[in-house]
Amino acid sequence: MNKNYYAIIMAGGVGSRFWPVSTTEFPKQFHDMLGTGETLIQKTFTRLSQIIPKENILILTNEVYNDIVLEQLPMIQQEQIVLEPAMRNTAPCILYASLKIKKQNPDAVMVVAPSDHWIEDELQFCSNLQYAFDFCERDENLMTLGILPTFANTGYGYIEFDKLDSRPIKKVKQFREKPDYATARKFIQSRNFLWNAGIFVWSAKTVLKAYEEFQPVMYDHFMNGYEALNTPKEEAFIRDNYPLAQNISVDYAILEKAQNVYVLPATFDWNDLGTWGSLYDKLPKDEQENAVVNASVYLENATNNIIRTEGKKLVVIDGLTDYIIVDKDDVLLIYPKNKEQDIKQIVSKIQ
């Protein structure tokens, strides 16, 4: 394995659209959402460790999840967990982790990947990642892996690339925000748009040069503690200074400003597992298109539902179509699938 290859696994989200299974105390990346025997973060770590040395994989998460990460990934050391004392979006945390990596290995090239995505064809994923690593090692390139859209999804950001670019790796024209349905349809029809999966590849030198150019205040803020990184003094510096960093995504902070951004249309199956509906799409179904996780069921006139319980509870349903039915501890959720985006707002109102 190449000792210059690194990974940053983003594992700080709370996954509120998967309530009541995913909670602030125990979010979705630490659950076995598909009933495979591995949690989402365990699957992500296993997948990345096929191409990246295990000791070079950092877990970026909130400090409250430190013990959960150590429990679920016993093969890593405490120093591989990069702890955020406050939530400040993706730009500050990627800068922080990239500085730690650069100090450890100036020749590092890294992938930044979410902890909660589902990727089936891991062979193709590793092949795409190797291609991206090679591209970013050769030149000062910032890269992302884009997903070929299969329908007009309004829940994802999109990447527009140059229509005339016939190379496998395309020059990014611009990043587009989550569109309305009519705009998403136009994107699909134009055939030069990809879903933004939030998977990035670059060398430590290149991404830090971009931060220095486009986010000089944030760059200088963290560079003030560069000598402390990877030493016992790091914790105190981060505790005092991290919460002062600007709350901004890496897309806004760097990628939308830089001219050296490229995208590789991915050749692996991908699902961001962002909602109960996206989970439903990946699960096996019965003859009435119901997806069942853990539960024992007796169903009459029930179609296109997702049903999940703890501990093989018997669930009897008559006359429900297109519903989310989830039983967890002292909460029972029965909610229309077509309103799944509203679950996040429901959670904020009742907690």
Side-chain angles (χ1 to χ4, degrees), residues 245-278:
Q246 184 184 1
N247 189 331
I248 186 172
S249 73
V250 74
D251 302 64
Y252 279 133
I254 301 296
L255 298 175
E256 292 189 5
K257 295 177 168 63
Q259 297 301 308
N260 56 334
V261 184
Y262 295 84
V263 62
L264 174 66
T267 57
F268 50 82
D269 294 328
W270 173 89
N271 191 305
D272 80 328
L273 292 186
T275 63
W276 286 110
S278 61

Side-chain angles (χ1 to χ4, degrees), residues 182-298:
T183 306
R185 280 194 65 186
K186 287 179 186 173
F187 287 173
I188 302 294
Q189 289 162 358
S190 68
R191 298 182 180 276
N192 65 319
F193 284 83
L194 301 164
W195 287 336
N196 185 355
I199 303 172
F200 308 113
V201 182
W202 42 54
S203 71
K205 289 175 183 172
T206 301
V207 74
L208 291 174
K209 186 176 179 180
Y211 271 100
E212 188 175 13
E213 180 178 355
F214 300 115
Q215 296 295 327
V217 174
M218 187 185 297
Y219 179 80
D220 290 344
H221 181 67
F222 279 91
M223 279 301 291
N224 287 334
Y226 187 70
E227 292 305 316
L229 298 182
N230 302 338
T231 77
K233 296 179 181 178
E234 177 182 330
E235 185 181 350
F237 171 78
I238 291 299
R239 186 179 62 247
D240 293 341
N241 290 278
Y242 192 91
L244 304 176
Q246 184 184 1
N247 189 331
I248 186 172
S249 73
V250 74
D251 302 64
Y252 279 133
I254 301 296
L255 298 175
E256 292 189 5
K257 295 177 168 63
Q259 297 301 308
N260 56 334
V261 184
Y262 295 84
V263 62
L264 174 66
T267 57
F268 50 82
D269 294 328
W270 173 89
N271 191 305
D272 80 328
L273 292 186
T275 63
W276 286 110
S278 61
L279 178 62
Y280 169 85
D281 292 340
K282 300 309 297 179
L283 291 167
K285 321 285 193 301
D286 65 14
E287 292 175 358
Q288 282 71 48
E289 294 297 310
N290 295 297
V292 180
V293 181
N294 293 336
S296 300
V297 294
Y298 179 83

Side-chain angles (χ1 to χ4, degrees), residues 72-214:
Q72 296 205 356
L73 300 174
M75 71 292 289
I76 69 170
Q77 303 299 312
Q78 178 64 59
E79 53 266 27
Q80 290 173 251
I81 307 177
V82 183
L83 298 173
E84 303 170 84
M87 294 183 78
R88 282 294 176 272
N89 216 314
T90 53
C93 63
I94 289 173
L95 173 56
Y96 170 28
S98 299
L99 285 168
K100 283 176 64 67
I101 290 172
K102 165 111 179 328
K103 191 173 182 186
Q104 186 178 330
N105 182 350
D107 297 320
V109 58
M110 69 187 81
V111 57
V112 179
S115 60
D116 51 4
H117 289 183
W118 183 256
I119 293 169
E120 286 189 31
D121 193 340
E122 297 193 344
L123 215 60
Q124 277 301 308
F125 171 81
C126 290
S127 174
N128 286 184
L129 186 53
Q130 183 66 62
Y131 201 61
F133 276 159
D134 292 343
F135 186 70
C136 292
E137 275 187 315
R138 281 197 305 270
D139 295 299
E140 291 186 355
N141 300 312
L142 302 170
M143 256 198 87
T144 180
L145 302 184
I147 308 300
L148 290 166
T150 52
F151 64 100
N153 194 314
T154 59
Y156 300 149
Y158 285 71
I159 302 166
E160 181 182 1
F161 61 85
D162 185 349
K163 233 176 196 173
L164 301 176
D165 197 337
S166 59
R167 297 170 298 177
I169 295 175
K170 319 288 187 184
K171 186 87 185 318
V172 171
K173 202 168 178 184
Q174 61 179 321
F175 289 83
R176 305 289 285 264
E177 290 302 300
K178 295 174 183 177
D180 58 28
Y181 182 72
T183 306
R185 280 194 65 186
K186 287 179 186 173
F187 287 173
I188 302 294
Q189 289 162 358
S190 68
R191 298 182 180 276
N192 65 319
F193 284 83
L194 301 164
W195 287 336
N196 185 355
I199 303 172
F200 308 113
V201 182
W202 42 54
S203 71
K205 289 175 183 172
T206 301
V207 74
L208 291 174
K209 186 176 179 180
Y211 271 100
E212 188 175 13
E213 180 178 355
F214 300 115

